[in-house]
Each structure stands twice: as structure tokens, then as C-alpha cells.
Amino acid sequence: MTETHAPLSYPPSAEFTAQANAAEGLYRDAEQDRLAFWAEQANRLSWATPFSQVLDWSEAPFAKWFADGKLNVAYNCVDRHVEAGNGDRVAIYWEGEQIGDSRSLTYRDLQDEVGKAANALTGLGLVAGDRVAIYLPMIPEAIVAMLACARLGLMHSVVFAGYTANALRARIDDAEAKLVITADGQFRRGKPAPLKNAVDDAVASADTVEHVLVVRRTGIEVDWKQGRDVWWHDVVDSASPEHDPEAFDAEHPLFLLYTSGTTGKPKGIVHTSGGYLTQASYTHHNIFDIKPETDVFWCTADIGWVTGHTYGVYGPLSNGVTEIFFEGTPDTPSQHRHFQIIEKYGATIYYTAPTMVRTFMKWGREFPDAHDLSSLRLLGTVGEPINPEAWRWYRTVIGGDSAPIVDTWWQTETGAAMISPLPGVAATKPGSAMAALPGISAKVVDDHGDELAPPSTDEGEHAAGYLVLDQPWPSMLRGIWGDPDRFRETYWSRYAEHGYYFAGDSARYDSDGAIWVMGRIDDVMNVSGHRISTAEVESALVGHAGVAEAAVVGATDDTTGQAICAFVVLTADHADTAGAEIIDELRAEVAKEISPIARPRELHVVPELPKTRSGKIMRRLLRDIVEKRELGDTSTLLDPGVFDAIRAAK
Ligand code: WTA
């Protein structure tokens, strides 16, 4: 099917619509009375003390939702399902990285595990409000640890286990974490790799950390610091599973999650309890059309990212559905792995990143075609724009030409999905996240904050604007940890007069008013759906003794969406080392300082960087170079000859 003959939009089948959780009426209900609508969604949860007030926006941009209500988040994700008679339902089908290594936990099992872990954490001296860093691979203990924190009112800060000791240290220090939960090691591509050693490095100088709680996962040897280090199997397994959940205020903090901003220092995004869980649960139920009795839901995201929090833990468990939790990578031991898992567990809903879909396309359809994927009835994507070609392939090859696809736009900061089609309602268009969900309001505006008008036709080029959220929403971030000024400045200053939240993305409307999100307009790159700031990579590069200056830009990449391209100027005493060796060394340095996902695809040693007269690096022009475009306006360039030198060096 060529792009020109492919349908422009895909309506849901009549059968899907007839059984869908969400119908057109949901938009009407939300429009009639937005706050009453959110109160109704919040009441899908179980409250120990009901709320009387829905939203307090009097101290904008610091919102309070359901402020006088009290609830326990873990109780809502676990105990209430057991009390409702669903204790025997599988909560988690855990699939280990090695074939044959798997485990199922029912909701009753999960209740016992969370109760034990909560008792153990209390035994380690943790009290509500304390911060706990979780640095674990995708094993059941990771979910148990998160829920145990939630149960006790501790804030978890999950750090992706692919991050290095440096990245972990920065996050532990910023949050002043009292406990780190980790594992001896993790399995990667069939082999055990150490993990705890990174924690040892990270906490060596962290005086807030009292204990390191260690799950034995691989059996590899670890250094042990008596008094500080504690085995999970010693303190959790022996603890009582009985634990009374305490109800916390709706605005009690639930977690911190660090994400890249436009500076080198990651931002600790703060989320709270009632509003976050309300929107996580509501969006999960409606976007994924969840039928807890029959569905097997799989969100492939790592718990180190917000998608892993909201649709790997809190959304699915609050809705009492069965989910798949996979420790490994999609090509270990072979490229069949995801499809084997779908087949093995009869997955009905599959949610992944566009980069994964493009990778599957590259591998070829013989892999999915070798499996019975007919259990799949709904597909989703998140993290970056999906190109129409990948969307169509996803639908045809994975979705049997019938499964609706939900393209969900949201951010670490928004906590839960904001713009997405409802699968039984919208005729979806490949590449568009379509419209704000019921209860949510989004606009595409120009520099002045005026809303763009949808074009009269979809022919030709269309003006892009900026995506803003013009109404507060329950799962919105409540701030940046310890930095209220940066919170205001980053998100609320650009359209301060209008009171809009500025998302940092460009977007446009089509002639039907559907929203097409195009990508970040700031210095944040999106590599395989991971946010990495140019400043972070630059600071890793200039940390190397041989680098005098560095500039980093994102370039379009067929598989990863964007790829990192670095330009470096070497110091005088390294100038004659230019060559493949230093390039490899510097790429490795970034992987070591930040994470292998931040390793630049290209690194060019250049004699100088293009700068304005005021000394600002003109990344825009470097982007033109890596995208192989004509150079844009160079009139503000200090030395227009610099590009000949850069081209000669490339
Ligand atoms: C991008 C991930 C287009 C966007 C949940 C946003 C998307 C950033 C989409 C947030 C989508 C996310 N279409 N772009 N459906 N979803 N993005 O914080 O640039 O890791 O600002 O949250 O990803 O990334 P984050």
C-alpha cells in the first residue's frame, strides 16, 4: 500500500465501538462541568476520607486537587481488588530476561509482598515524607518497592538501571534520599552484569543514605558495607505480610522522577497522590479500553521512565487488570521475543514507543508473522511522533488490520496521557494524537498566545505553533523538587499573561482541528523516546581533559527518531590526537557519564564552533549541517568562514 492510496483515517469497527468503555458522551460530560467530571473520575478510586473540594487553583501554578480527601495509593492498587473478591486474579505475569524464568503474582500475592516490604521499610526507620531511590531492573521487586513506598507515604525516585553511578549520585543527592533499593546485578543480553557497584560509588559520599537494600537477582559477588547494606531476602521475606495502610492527604507527595531539561541539571518532577492516581486510572481505563476480567495489558516501558510509572504500575494496578512485566530486551535471545511473549500470555493490549515499531519494521515481518498475535485488540504508542508509515505497518502487521491504535501525547510533567484518541470513538489518523482527552484542554498557539486557526485544506505547508495546556489537570506536576523558581520559569513564564502551561513542543492543527505534535522546540533531544538534553551531553564531553568546547544537536534518525550529533574542539595539547581513537573515547565517555543511550551517533572534531558575536553557539546552523540542509541565516555569525573548516573536518 503506498502512502498516496492509504486511507487518511481509520474509524473503529462497529464491534469495537459497541463494547468500548468510552463513548462520545464522555466529551460532553466533561464540557458541561469539568470539575464535576473530574470528581466523578476521582470517585472511581477508594477514598478513606471523601473530598469536598475538587480544585484549588488560587496559588497557581501550584495546584491542589481533591485537597481535603485522604486515600492510600497502594490500597487502591492492590488491597481493594482483593477485598472485591479478585485476589486470585493475576496482577503481574513477570517474564525474566532468560527464557523459562517467569513468575506470576496474583493480587493476593502482591498484597502480601507489598505488606512485607512496607513492614521492612518501617523497620529500617523510614517515615512518611522520606525519599527512597529505586535503582532496579524490571523485576517484580521493583513494583513491590514502589507500592511499599506509596503505602507508607514515602516518595520514590526511580532511577533507570541503565544510568551510571554519576547520574544516580546526582539524583540521590538532589532528593537527599535516605534509602536506596537495588539488586546485586541485572541480566543483560543473557549475561549477569553488576549493578550494586554503581550504588556503592554513588552513595560513597552521600551522607543522607542510611541503608542500601539489595535484591539478590543474579548471584554475582558484591562488596558489602556492614551496617549499611541489607539483603531484601533477610528483611522483607521474614517480615509480616499484615500491614494496615494509612490514609494520606490527596496532595501528599507520591514520587519524584528526574527528567532532562534545557540545562545540564536534571529536574526532579514532583507528583502527588490523589490527582495523579485519578488521571492515571481514568486515562488507562478509557484509552486502553480496559476490561479487568479478560484483558492482558502490556506496557513495554521501563519503570525508570514516567510511562513505566503510570502505565506499567499505577494505571493498570489501580484498574485491577492483569499485566505483563518483562525484564529483557526485544532481541534477546532473538528478535522473536516480544511476539513470543504476546503469544505466551495472550496479550490483548500492547503499548510501546514508535522507535520500537520502526525497529520491528527494520527486522522484517517474518518475526511477528511467525506468531499468533490474534489476541491483540488494541495498540498504543507514546514518547515521540510516529511517522505514518510506521503507524500503518503497526496496524497491519501487529494489529491484524483491525486493532485501533492510540497515539498518546503526554510528558513526565503531565503525569498521565493528555492528548489521545478514544479508541471506540475517533477515526484515527496515522501520525496524529488527535485531540485532548475529555477533561483536558490543549491549544496550539502562536508566539503571542493566540490560538492558530485550523487551515481550510490539508494541502501544502501549514503553520506550526506551540502546544500549551490552558487548564490545570489532576495529574499535573506540583513543582520541581526544591526549585519553585525553575518550575515557574520553565513551564509558566512564556505565556504568563494567559496562564498557559508551555509544554516545549511544536504542533499544528489539520483542517479537522486534529492536533499533530511535531517535536521539541527546546534543547531537549528525543532519542528512542528518551529525553536527553544537549547541555547534559555537552557537559559530559567538556568533562574530558581533551575537550575545550562541545556543541550537541539532535538529527533525524530513521530508527531512533532523533540521534545525538556532537561537535568538539580539542584542547591544544590534544589537538594532534584527532582521529578515530579520540572519537571513540569521547563517545564512550558520554556513555559512561550519563548512560549508553546518550552515546552520540556521530562525533566530529572541528577546529572551532559557529558562534554569534556575543559568543552563543549557533546550534541551529549545526542542525542544518547534520540534516544536510542549506545553511540558514548566517548573518549573526562571528566568522562565516567557520563552516568551510567544519565541512573540511567532517
Ligand atoms: C514527546 C513521555 C509526539 C514530546 C510520556 C514530549 C510525543 C516528550 C508523544 C515527553 C506523542 C511524547 N507524539 N511526541 N504521542 N508523546 N512525546 O517526559 O516531545 O519522557 O514533550 O514523557 O515526548 O517525554 P517524557
Side-chain angles (χ1 to χ4, degrees):
M1 201 170 4
T2 63
E3 293 279 313
T4 37
H5 294 114
L8 292 174
S9 77
Y10 294 74
S13 68
E15 287 125 295
F16 193 99
T17 300
Q19 59 82 60
N21 289 350
E24 189 81 53
L26 211 58
Y27 292 99
R28 278 197 304 276
D29 295 349
E31 263 158 41
Q32 260 165 24
D33 188 340
R34 218 172 72 86
L35 295 185
F37 174 83
W38 280 120
E40 199 181 318
Q41 302 314 323
N43 282 322
R44 295 180 63 248
L45 305 176
S46 171
W47 293 81
T49 306
F51 55 88
S52 64
Q53 191 184 26
V54 180
L55 169 66
D56 176 358
W57 194 226
S58 59
E59 288 165 50
F62 296 91
K64 293 196 185 88
W65 284 86
F66 318 115
D68 58 352
K70 283 181 192 284
L71 81 173
N72 185 287
V73 168
Y75 172 84
N76 271 279
C77 291
V78 184
D79 308 58
R80 68 170 174 146
H81 306 311
V82 178
E83 287 169 14
N86 296 317
D88 292 333
R89 182 180 300 155
V90 172
I92 301 166
Y93 281 129
W94 176 73
E95 175 80 4
E97 119 117 10
Q98 285 147 319
I99 301 247
D101 190 7
S102 60
R103 200 175 145 194
S104 305
L105 282 92
T106 62
Y107 275 94
R108 183 170 295 110
D109 295 335
L110 194 58
Q111 186 181 34
D112 287 351
E113 294 302 317
V114 173
K116 287 190 217 171
N119 284 320
L121 295 188
T122 303
L124 291 174
L126 290 142
V127 294
D130 286 345
R131 274 83 56 205
V132 175
I134 297 180
Y135 186 64
L136 281 172
M138 294 281 284
I139 53 178
E141 288 83 353
I143 296 184
V144 170
M146 289 167 77
L147 291 171
C149 288
R151 195 173 188 94
L152 296 171
L154 311 172
M155 272 178 110
H156 55 70
S157 162
V158 180
V159 180
F160 175 51
Y163 274 136
T164 56
N166 289 335
L168 176 63
R169 181 185 303 117
R171 287 158 175 76
I172 289 174
D173 288 350
D174 187 71
E176 299 179 286
K178 220 163 135 181
L179 174 73
V180 183
I181 306 180
T182 190
D184 55 352
Q186 58 181 332
F187 287 104
R188 275 288 164 249
R189 304 197 186 278
K191 295 197 195 74
L195 193 62
K196 180 178 181 280
N197 62 344
V199 177
D200 293 336
D201 280 358
V203 304
S205 58
D207 37 353
T208 58
V209 175
E210 292 173 3
H211 291 287
V212 176
L213 180 56
V214 189
V215 177
R216 179 133 67 203
R217 171 68 192 119
T218 59
I220 56 179
E221 234 178 272
V222 289
D223 290 338
W224 204 254
K225 190 163 172 194
Q226 286 302 336
R228 184 196 71 186
D229 297 349
V230 186
W231 283 112
W232 177 282
H233 54 257
D234 283 341
V235 294
V236 177
D237 292 357
S238 59
S240 161
E242 304 297 328
H243 185 272
D244 267 344
E246 178 185 344
F248 294 98
D249 288 347
E251 285 297 338
H252 188 82
L254 179 62
F255 67 84
L256 258 175
L257 186 58
Y258 286 83
T259 187
S260 294
T262 49
T263 70
K265 188 174 183 279
K267 303 177 278 200
I269 303 299
V270 178
H271 283 289
T272 59
S273 304
Y276 171 79
L277 195 65
T278 295
Q279 195 173 329
S281 195
Y282 150 78
T283 52
H284 182 255
H285 173 78
N286 288 296
I287 296 175
F288 297 111
D289 191 44
I290 295 299
K291 309 287 192 281
E293 300 78 19
T294 47
D295 273 323
V296 178
F297 175 79
W298 186 12
C299 164
T300 67
D302 193 280
I303 44 149
W305 318 120
V306 74
T307 307
H309 283 58
T310 305
Y311 301 107
V313 179
Y314 292 109
L317 298 178
S318 67
N319 286 323
V321 73
T322 299
E323 68 162 342
I324 294 171
F325 196 62
F326 175 43
E327 183 187 29
T329 46
D331 53 356
T332 307
S334 79
Q335 288 106 312
H336 287 282
R337 195 66 194 274
H338 272 212
F339 311 113
Q340 282 166 338
I341 293 173
I342 291 170
E343 197 172 20
K344 174 174 176 186
Y345 296 106
T348 57
I349 303 159
Y350 179 77
Y351 186 41
T352 197
T355 188
M356 191 72 256
V357 178
R358 289 192 294 267
T359 301
F360 290 152
M361 274 174 85
K362 210 164 63 182
W363 290 345
R365 64 176 294 165
E366 60 269 30
F367 296 103
D369 282 353
H371 302 274
D372 178 5
L373 305 182
S374 61
S375 56
L376 289 173
R377 64 182 194 89
L378 180 60
L379 304 173
T381 64
V382 60
E384 46 171 335
I386 181 162
N387 47 315
E389 192 195 353
W391 194 103
R392 292 201 175 91
W393 189 93
Y394 194 26
R395 174 165 166 120
T396 313
V397 179
I398 311 291
D401 236 342
S402 63
I405 298 179
V406 286
D407 174 351
T408 61
W409 178 90
W410 57 294
Q411 306 179 300
T412 306
E413 292 86 342
T414 69
M418 302 291 285
I419 303 177
S420 165
L422 290 175
V425 179
T428 48
K429 301 182 191 186
S432 169
M434 303 302 293
L437 289 164
I440 300 298
S441 188
K443 283 193 167 83
V444 182
V445 301
D446 66 14
D447 266 330
H448 309 290
D450 296 327
E451 190 172 9
L452 298 188
S456 52
T457 84
D458 288 320
E459 304 294 318
E461 285 275 308
H462 293 293
Y466 303 107
L467 186 63
V468 298
L469 302 166
D470 57 310
Q471 297 285 343
W473 62 100
S475 63
M476 67 196 295
L477 76 165
R478 301 301 197 261
I480 294 176
W481 183 250
D483 204 343
D485 293 338
R486 190 175 179 196
F487 172 58
R488 276 205 192 82
E489 172 60 30
T490 309
Y491 305 106
W492 304 94
S493 64
R494 182 151 181 162
Y495 294 108
E497 266 167 60
H498 302 79
Y500 294 165
Y501 168 92
F502 173 56
D505 281 328
S506 73
R508 64 177 180 86
Y509 290 123
D510 68 14
S511 61
D512 295 329
I515 296 175
W516 296 67
V517 177
M518 291 151 77
R520 311 262 337 163
I521 54 120
D522 51 13
D523 290 328
V524 177
M525 298 170 289
N526 190 329
V527 182
S528 298
H530 304 317
R531 279 165 66 169
I532 299 165
S533 79
T534 55
E536 247 175 309
V537 180
E538 286 165 4
S539 81
L541 287 167
V542 296
H544 186 282
V547 176
E549 278 189 290
V552 167
V553 295
T556 314
D557 184 282
D558 284 347
T559 305
T560 59
Q562 275 192 310
I564 301 176
C565 300
F567 294 83
V568 300
V569 179
L570 297 179
T571 54
D573 50 341
H574 279 76
D576 49 358
T577 61
E581 214 169 289
I582 186 100
I583 290 177
D584 288 347
E585 188 178 322
L586 291 174
R587 291 176 65 233
E589 176 80 7
V590 177
K592 190 174 118 249
E593 281 293 312
I594 307 172
S595 154
I597 53 180
R599 186 195 305 269
R601 183 188 70 183
E602 298 170 21
L603 190 138
H604 306 287
V605 175
V606 293
E608 54 187 316
L609 295 172
K611 288 190 185 152
T612 59
R613 285 180 194 91
S614 59
K616 207 166 151 19
I617 296 170
M618 296 187 73
R619 289 197 183 71
R620 174 171 64 75
L621 297 175
L622 291 173
R623 269 194 292 269
D624 290 339
I625 293 214
V626 296
E627 303 283 12
K628 304 189 173 55
R629 288 189 298 245
E630 289 277 306
L631 284 187
D633 180 11
T634 54
S635 59
T636 53
L637 206 57
L638 176 63
D639 169 15
V642 66
F643 280 99
D644 299 333
I646 290 178
R647 285 217 178 83
K650 268 191 77 179

